[in-house]
Structure formats: C-alpha cells, structure tokens
Amino acid sequence: MLFNSHTFIFAFLPATLLGFFLLGGRGWNRAASVWLCAASLVFYAWWNPTGDGATWSPKYLALIVGSIVCNYVLGVAISSANERDAVRRARGFLIVGVSANLALLAWFKYAAFFAQNANAMFGTHWQVGRIALPLAISFFTFTQIAYLVDAWHGVTREFNFRWYFLFVSFFPHLIAGPIVLYRSLMPQFARPEVWRFNADNFARGLSLFVAGLCKKVVIADALSPIAGAVFDSGNPGAATAWAGALAYTLQLYFDFSGYSDMAIGLGRMFNVAFPQNFNSPYKARDIIDFWRRWHITLSTFLRDHLYIPLGGNRKGPARRYVNLFLTMLLGGLWHGAGWTFVIWGGLHGIYLAINHAWLRVTRGAAWSEARPARFFGRALTLLAVVVGWVFFRAASAGDAVKILAGMAGARGIGGLGSLQISGLAMVAFAGGIALFAPNTNEIFELALPAKAQPEAPRPRWVLTPITAGLVACAFVFAVLHLSRMTEFLYFQF
C-alpha cells in the first residue's frame, strides 16, 4: 500500500490508529499489538507487482511471515546458546541465519542478473524465468540480519514471538525504512504511555507526514517527467543534460526523504520515535559528510555490518581504502541488480578513498577551514554526487556516458528542447529548498536555544492555530495532487 494513496490516507491509517488507541486506551496492550501486526500484514499485502490491475496480492505474505518465523527461531537459538555460553553453537546459528537471509535476497533480487551475465560471459543458457521482486525484501532482510548480529553480541534478545513479529512488520518502517534496530524500537513499546493517545505526538507526527507527502507529490513527482525526458532523449546538449541530471538529483532526494519523513511522522503518531534518515545531504562539505547525511540508517548498517567486519581502518590506510571501496561497491549492488548501480557504488568508494587521503594530507592546514575552501568543498561534493546519480538513473552505462558527455559540452550547449520554463522553475525551487532551507528534522525534531533561557531549548515547531492552519492547507494542496499515484523510487530497491 502506498503512503501517497487515498486508500491509505482516508481508510487504512484512520482505522489502524482508531483500533490501536481504542484497545490500548483500555489497557488491552496485547490486543492492540495484535491489531497492529494484523494491520501491517494488510498494508503489506495491498500491493501487486504483476501490474494486472489487482490491488490485493497476499501470496507474498507467506514469504515475509516465513522469513519472520525463521529469523525468530534462529534469534531465540542464538540467545539461548549465548545464555549457556555455547559460543560455537550460537556462532553456527548466526552463520546459518545470515546466509539464509542473504540467499533469499540473492535469489529474488540477483538471480536473473547473475544468470544473464554468466550466459554472456561463458555462453551458457541458464534460465531462471521471471522473478518478481517482493516488496521491501531488502529492508526487512537487513533489519533481521541486524537483529541476529545483535543477538549474537548479546545486546538484544526476544523470546516473545508477538513482539518480534511487531518489530519486523510495523508498517511505518516496513517498506523502505528507516532501517531500525530492535534495541532502539521495541523498548519504546514497553512504555505504558505508548499505547495511549498523545495529542502533541500526534500533531507533530501528522505535520511531519504532511511535509513528507508534499515533498513526494508536489516536488518529486513534478521533477520526474523532466528527468525522464532527458534521460530518454539519447544525446542531449549541455543545457538539457544538466537540467535532467539536476532534476533527477532533486527528484530522488525529495522522493526518498519525503518517504522517510512520512514514515517517521507515522511512527510519531503511534508515539514511536524512529531514527533520523536524512540531514540535508546536499549541504555536505565533502563525500564523508554526505554519507553521514544521506540515508543515514543504511550508511550505519553498512558501516557496522560490512566495513568494520572487513577491518575498517584498523589495518592501515591502504587496507582502509580497499574496505571503503568494497563496502560502497556492495552498497551499490544492494540498490539494484545492474551494472549502473555497481558503477555508482564503486564511484562513491573511490570518492571516499580520495576524501580520506586528502584529509590525511591536509590535516592541520588552516586554509582548509577558510570560507573559500569550504565553499569549494561543497560545490565539488555536489558535482561528484550529481555525476554518480547519472549512473544511478541511467538505463545502461552507455546511456550514462552519453548524459555525462552532454553535461561536459561534447555536443555543444544546445537548447532546452521540450523542457518548459515551469519545469526549470521547479528545478530551481527544489534546489533552493535542498541547499538553503532548514530540513524537516530541524523544524520538527531539533531544538534551538531560547534567547531568554539559553539552557532551556525550544522547538522551532509549536502547535498553534497558525501552524495548524498551515499544515491543513498543505494537506489539502497535497491531496489535490494525488490524482496520479506514483510509487516511491526506493520501492524498486
């Protein structure tokens, strides 16, 4: 089910909230948790990847429920073995669990890709048929791998199946994150107040949800045809190529950060706090800073479960650069089964290695903190990110090279072709917000020091008749743009 659909906004969400707080308000917490689990399954099943017009496709429920059951059993086995100091047995369960999760992900996401490339390289004729990618498989797989690793380290454990089921299936984070950890999410459900309606949390969460909805349907969806026209055009001139590359750069940001805002806002409506997932990444001063700001929960997962196990920075600079490259290469492959994603990940691995090497050389240099150096760093970082997004968006590496050649002026400046002034104005408007405006986390979550009492922070966002009216107007405006529902870009990953 799409967050940006009439069915979700006007039927599913009100019914789920009403049932949750009616049950929880009477102290029936167990019934409320079961209600939330059942609603999450309905949310997941309300989707059909075959494109035959149906909206209800429950066959993939068996996949996600089976995954949850198997990982729960393995998690209990790991925790129980650790309690008995049976370290070798716990390690065996961990290896089985991680391998099974990765095998499931590999089959659905990469089998066709590897078969196609093997056939091209070795002249074989392997056929795997058409495999529809199950919704959210990348996210619920990573979520459960993180849980198994935490169970192995003894930092978390769960012997109650209902709680574990809720942890994985909770619909606000199920489809495209944020990737949450058990130790940060489930202790919140242990608090009595989480089951009671909280007007402040609800208002703040609803406002954040509306902000994310506007990002998606008002900005991202308006940028989509601009990017599509350019990337499908073949050999654009410089002006057109830059317009398309910047349009996609901004479309992807507002699409996925909008989804994350909606997910975090939904969690807050249920009195649950999710981790921040975006922090104005296009304001980053370098690529290292960019990956601390972009898709933060994925960056954290890759660092903790791939980069550090590979050795991190513990074995010298050369090994560190190799580990960075391998981490980003696999991170690119995680996004999609295609060479363009591999190239995108490899590019960012090279970027990070160069960035770390540069910081090593310039450490202590006073000029590196001067305003011109910081401005140049931001501009160069944004340019590198845009170049990477061209590969991320293009249908093939060859198409990406054509776009980049156009951006470099290989075919002259050229005109803007079919691009309209209104589209270019939207690109400029979205760019101004991404580069200069405060982000939603700063508006709704972070606090600023009050003038009268520096030690007492005050939030930027306060519920008043004016802010309530602004949110209501934004909601109506966004709903009016729901005539053509579009999937979020990260649904394909």
Side-chain angles (χ1 to χ4, degrees):
M1 190 180 298
L2 297 174
F3 287 168
N4 56 323
S5 68
H6 294 93
T7 302
F8 178 84
I9 294 172
F10 296 110
F12 175 84
L13 181 59
T16 303
L17 285 165
L18 183 63
F20 178 76
F21 286 120
L22 281 178
L23 295 170
R26 287 169 169 77
W28 301 339
N29 296 356
R30 177 177 296 183
S33 65
V34 172
W35 169 262
L36 205 50
C37 290
S40 296
L41 291 182
V42 172
F43 173 83
Y44 184 81
W46 201 275
W47 168 79
N48 190 350
T50 61
D52 59 5
T55 56
W56 179 256
S57 181
K59 63 180 180 179
Y60 287 103
L61 283 179
L63 177 68
I64 188 172
V65 171
S67 175
I68 291 173
V69 170
C70 291
N71 279 282
Y72 167 75
V73 171
L74 287 165
V76 169
I78 292 170
S79 298
S80 299
N82 279 336
E83 283 187 342
R84 298 191 299 268
D85 295 326
V87 177
R88 291 182 60 186
R89 182 180 301 175
R91 183 186 293 115
F93 288 132
L94 175 65
I95 293 172
V96 170
V98 173
S99 300
N101 279 288
L102 293 178
L104 184 71
L105 185 62
W107 170 253
F108 281 102
K109 198 165 185 176
Y110 306 109
F113 173 70
F114 287 128
Q116 178 183 358
N117 284 277
N119 291 339
M121 292 176 62
F122 305 113
T124 54
H125 302 281
W126 293 348
Q127 298 293 330
V128 296
R130 182 180 181 274
I131 303 175
L133 183 65
L135 191 63
I137 188 170
S138 295
F139 286 92
F140 70 69
T141 298
F142 272 22
T143 295
Q144 295 187 99
I145 288 176
Y147 173 79
L148 295 178
V149 173
D150 283 350
W152 155 251
H153 288 300
V155 298
T156 188
R157 63 178 186 173
E158 182 54 72
F159 298 105
N160 185 314
F161 178 69
R162 175 167 47 88
W163 287 119
Y164 182 79
F165 196 101
L166 178 59
F167 157 64
V168 179
S169 67
F170 188 37
F171 74 89
H173 77 85
L174 174 62
I175 305 300
I179 300 172
V180 297
L181 299 177
Y182 187 95
R183 62 178 182 267
S184 65
L185 177 62
M186 296 314 293
Q188 299 184 60
F189 282 101
R191 303 196 315 263
E193 59 269 22
V194 81
W195 307 96
R196 311 290 188 269
F197 179 78
N198 183 297
D200 182 70
N201 277 340
F202 185 85
R204 191 176 298 273
L206 179 60
S207 301
L208 188 54
F209 177 86
V210 171
L213 183 64
C214 287
K215 280 185 178 182
K216 165 61 178 172
V217 303
V218 177
I219 301 179
D221 286 353
L223 293 169
S224 177
I226 303 171
V230 174
F231 277 87
D232 297 336
S233 63
N235 297 299
T240 304
W242 273 103
L246 292 175
Y248 182 71
T249 296
L250 294 164
Q251 178 201 354
L252 182 62
Y253 170 71
F254 283 100
D255 190 282
F256 194 31
S257 70
Y259 183 95
S260 295
D261 286 345
M262 296 168 80
I264 294 170
L266 288 168
R268 182 58 66 92
M269 292 164 73
F270 286 93
N271 300 319
V272 172
F274 287 151
Q276 182 184 3
N277 214 23
F278 284 87
N279 185 22
S280 299
Y282 294 160
K283 298 177 184 178
R285 64 180 183 271
D286 54 33
I287 286 293
I288 297 172
D289 189 34
F290 172 81
W291 279 104
R292 290 174 181 151
R293 294 167 173 261
W294 175 272
H295 203 345
I296 298 170
T297 56
L298 176 63
S299 300
T300 302
F301 181 92
L302 292 174
R303 180 198 66 196
D304 294 346
H305 297 91
L306 192 54
Y307 174 69
I308 292 176
L310 284 172
N313 60 357
R314 301 188 301 273
K315 299 182 179 180
R319 179 64 180 273
R320 179 187 202 179
Y321 304 149
V322 171
N323 292 339
L324 284 169
F325 180 77
L326 291 176
T327 298
M328 296 311 300
L329 198 69
L330 293 172
L333 187 61
W334 175 85
H335 280 82
W339 288 110
T340 53
F341 296 110
V342 174
I343 294 171
W344 172 79
L347 270 178
H348 274 274
I350 295 171
Y351 292 163
L352 286 170
I354 293 174
N355 196 172
H356 280 283
W358 175 254
L359 292 179
R360 186 180 178 88
V361 171
T362 60
R363 182 178 298 147
W367 59 265
S368 64
E369 294 299 324
R371 181 174 296 179
R374 294 200 304 270
F375 175 82
F376 179 76
R378 285 186 61 178
L380 182 61
T381 299
L382 187 57
L383 174 62
V385 169
V386 172
V387 169
W389 288 142
V390 170
F391 283 97
F392 198 84
R393 169 61 174 81
S396 67
D399 289 345
V401 170
K402 291 177 182 179
I403 297 292
L404 292 174
M407 293 168 64
R411 284 175 289 278
I413 296 177
L416 292 172
S418 61
L419 298 183
Q420 299 179 357
I421 297 299
S422 59
L424 299 178
M426 177 57 74
V427 172
F429 172 71
I433 294 176
L435 292 174
F436 303 109
N439 59 52
T440 48
N441 188 70
E442 292 170 329
I443 294 172
F444 293 105
E445 301 291 338
L446 299 184
L448 298 176
K451 293 181 180 179
Q453 296 177 312
E455 72 282 0
R458 64 176 177 83
R460 288 188 179 187
W461 185 93
V462 178
L463 181 61
T464 65
I466 294 177
T467 56
L470 290 174
V471 171
C473 291
F475 177 72
V476 171
F477 187 67
V479 168
L480 292 176
H481 283 73
L482 290 179
S483 57
R484 187 178 66 87
M485 291 182 296
T486 57
E487 286 191 352
F488 292 87
L489 293 176
Y490 260 68
F491 273 30
Q492 63 186 293
F493 308 138

